[in-house]
Amino acid sequence: MLKDLILKNRSYRRFYQSEKITTEQLREWIDLARNSASARNAQSMKYILSTEEPLNTLIFEHLAWAGYLTEWKGPEYGERPSAYIVLLHDTTISGNYFCDDGIAMQSILLGATEAGFGGCIIHSVNRIKVREILNLSNQYEILYVLALGKPKEIVVLDELEGSDIKYWRDENQVHHVPKRPLDEIILQVK
Amino acid sequence: MLKDLILKNRSYRRFYQSEKITTEQLREWIDLARNSASARNAQSMKYILSTEEPLNTLIFEHLAWAGYLTEWKGPEYGERPSAYIVLLHDTTISGNYFCDDGIAMQSILLGATEAGFGGCIIHSVNRIKVREILNLSNQYEILYVLALGKPKEIVVLDELEGSDIKYWRDENQVHHVPKRPLDEIILQVK
């Protein structure tokens, strides 16, 4: 069932770092994105893969993690992602990619989840540094970094009470994510 | 397998209009989006549903279809969508929704596909008219309209040859979508 897969596909930020992901696995998941919808079929999303050192660490050093967990500086060594996908927009193909980024990343993450992995979409990226590391031409805009690995944390969805949507960690390091109820996000036509 | 579902989830534009979709079905699919990732967990995506006349026709009249099929004015009566989801951004929640739109619509469309339906993400929307029809306050930005129904067309993925990414219909009205090969969209680090 798709629903089981969607529920299992949480934003994970701590991983069993020694559990490797191969380039071939990343390619399979990107193939899911390749076969997903693209605005005007322009397909301007491009991908750079990292599954090995030293590139993994070089990328890791330029990411910021979990803005709401102000005490936490990100996963420590041993719990870091074992692979990354840098999502790019090829500006020579199209000026606008509409919602292709979200479509592609949801397809990739569902693929990773089905294979027993998981990840997190990271927008807080030092793009200047990552561009340098990847020796990336200005033709490409860096959109997101997908951090991937074998999840080493429990993520729980809670029903939102009140209006505080900030995720948080309890004393057992379980990560809680308050979700708005369905009747709050579906509007009635007046 | 997720891959089968992704391959089946094409952008469909002609439907068996008499095959109804219920509000309950739309709610189930939106629940998949609700349980998907959201940037900073802000969850600013809101949804308006239409499964009945006259609202279906009122929405339909303000959509433009398949930009590359210049001879085709959109699905004729009998082949129109039987339901719509209007995707909104609630600007009082957050100024930016990052890629939540694509994530949400991919979850919804995969849910629809699993249930034997399908749809198309439409960006060419007369937003002024749709806002009037829905009596929608300026708090909400209209992002997309998802047109949904029981697909009545065959959509085939082809490997892109050359650079012409325009989809097209053959003499049997089969819809062809050229996709870039995997090695074109995955870049090598130099």
Side-chain angles (χ1 to χ4, degrees):
Chain A
M1 275 290 285
L2 175 65
K3 181 152 195 183
D4 299 326
L5 192 60
I6 293 241
L7 289 174
K8 201 173 159 195
N9 175 29
R10 308 275 34 102
S11 293
Y12 295 106
R13 297 176 177 88
R14 289 178 293 167
F15 306 94
Y16 294 99
Q17 191 172 340
S18 57
E19 296 272 349
K20 296 292 182 194
I21 294 175
T22 65
T23 298
E24 195 42 55
Q25 286 173 307
L26 295 184
R27 288 173 61 91
E28 279 175 27
W29 305 338
I30 290 170
D31 200 45
L32 300 173
R34 186 179 81 85
N35 286 305
S36 297
S38 166
R40 296 177 307 204
N41 199 40
Q43 309 166 70
S44 71
M45 297 293 103
K46 299 284 175 83
Y47 306 85
I48 288 178
L49 317 185
S50 176
T51 60
E52 300 289 344
E53 297 301 342
L55 191 53
N56 276 0
T57 294
L58 286 169
I59 292 172
F60 173 80
E61 285 171 348
H62 300 295
L63 307 176
W65 291 81
Y68 295 138
L69 307 181
T70 49
E71 304 288 299
W72 187 64
K73 301 303 173 198
E76 56 192 37
Y77 190 82
E79 298 190 341
R80 291 181 185 163
S82 44
Y84 299 89
I85 297 172
V86 183
L87 182 68
L88 309 170
H89 166 52
D90 186 340
T91 61
T92 64
I93 289 176
S94 173
N96 194 325
Y97 51 88
F98 295 92
C99 59
D100 284 12
D101 52 351
I103 293 172
M105 288 191 292
Q106 182 69 340
S107 293
I108 291 169
L109 283 169
L110 289 173
T113 302
E114 186 179 57
F117 295 90
C120 187
I121 301 169
I122 299 180
H123 187 258
S124 291
V125 178
N126 184 330
R127 289 174 173 71
I128 293 169
K129 291 289 187 185
V130 171
R131 182 179 295 282
E132 273 176 27
I133 290 163
L134 300 176
N135 194 20
L136 197 65
S137 95
N138 285 326
Q139 168 181 353
Y140 302 105
E141 184 185 344
I142 298 173
L143 302 182
Y144 294 91
V145 172
L146 264 176
L148 295 156
K150 179 77 83 177
K152 197 189 173 183
E153 64 180 356
I154 296 168
V155 178
V156 171
L157 298 181
D158 299 327
E159 193 95 330
L160 175 66
E161 294 176 16
S163 60
D164 186 358
I165 45 71
K166 288 197 282 294
Y167 48 78
W168 57 284
R169 279 199 196 142
D170 68 20
E171 63 278 14
N172 299 316
Q173 299 300 306
V174 172
H175 187 91
H176 291 259
V177 183
K179 288 293 189 188
R180 299 185 193 280
L182 199 53
D183 284 325
E184 183 180 327
I185 62 173
I186 297 177
L187 307 185
Q188 302 303 317
V189 182
K190 286 168 224 155
Chain B
M1 275 290 287
L2 176 64
K3 182 152 193 181
D4 299 327
L5 193 59
I6 293 240
L7 288 174
K8 201 174 160 194
N9 175 31
R10 309 276 31 106
S11 293
Y12 295 106
R13 297 176 177 87
R14 288 178 294 167
F15 306 93
Y16 294 98
Q17 189 170 342
S18 57
E19 296 271 350
K20 295 291 181 196
I21 294 175
T22 64
T23 297
E24 196 41 55
Q25 286 174 308
L26 296 184
R27 289 173 61 92
E28 280 175 25
W29 306 337
I30 291 170
D31 201 44
L32 300 172
R34 186 180 80 85
N35 286 305
S36 298
S38 166
R40 297 177 307 204
N41 199 39
Q43 309 166 71
S44 71
M45 296 293 102
K46 300 284 175 84
Y47 307 86
I48 287 179
L49 318 183
S50 176
T51 60
E52 299 290 344
E53 297 300 344
L55 191 53
N56 276 0
T57 294
L58 286 169
I59 292 172
F60 174 81
E61 285 170 348
H62 300 294
L63 307 176
W65 291 81
Y68 295 139
L69 307 180
T70 49
E71 304 289 299
W72 188 63
K73 300 302 173 200
E76 56 192 37
Y77 190 82
E79 298 190 342
R80 292 182 184 162
S82 45
Y84 299 89
I85 296 173
V86 183
L87 182 68
L88 309 170
H89 166 51
D90 185 340
T91 62
T92 63
I93 290 177
S94 173
N96 195 324
Y97 52 87
F98 295 92
C99 59
D100 285 11
D101 52 351
I103 293 172
M105 289 191 292
Q106 182 69 341
S107 294
I108 291 169
L109 283 170
L110 289 173
T113 302
E114 186 178 57
F117 295 90
C120 187
I121 301 170
I122 299 179
H123 186 258
S124 292
V125 178
N126 185 330
R127 288 174 174 71
I128 293 170
K129 290 289 187 187
V130 171
R131 181 178 296 282
E132 273 177 25
I133 290 163
L134 300 177
N135 195 21
L136 198 64
S137 96
N138 286 325
Q139 166 181 355
Y140 302 104
E141 184 185 344
I142 298 174
L143 302 182
Y144 295 92
V145 172
L146 264 175
L148 295 156
K150 179 75 86 178
K152 197 190 172 181
E153 64 181 355
I154 296 169
V155 178
V156 171
L157 299 181
D158 299 327
E159 192 95 331
L160 176 65
E161 296 176 16
S163 61
D164 186 358
I165 46 70
K166 289 197 283 293
Y167 48 77
W168 56 285
R169 280 200 195 143
D170 68 22
E171 63 277 16
N172 298 315
Q173 298 301 307
V174 172
H175 187 92
H176 292 259
V177 183
K179 288 293 188 188
R180 300 185 192 279
L182 199 54
D183 284 325
E184 184 180 327
I185 62 173
I186 297 178
L187 308 184
Q188 302 303 317
V189 182
K190 286 169 223 151

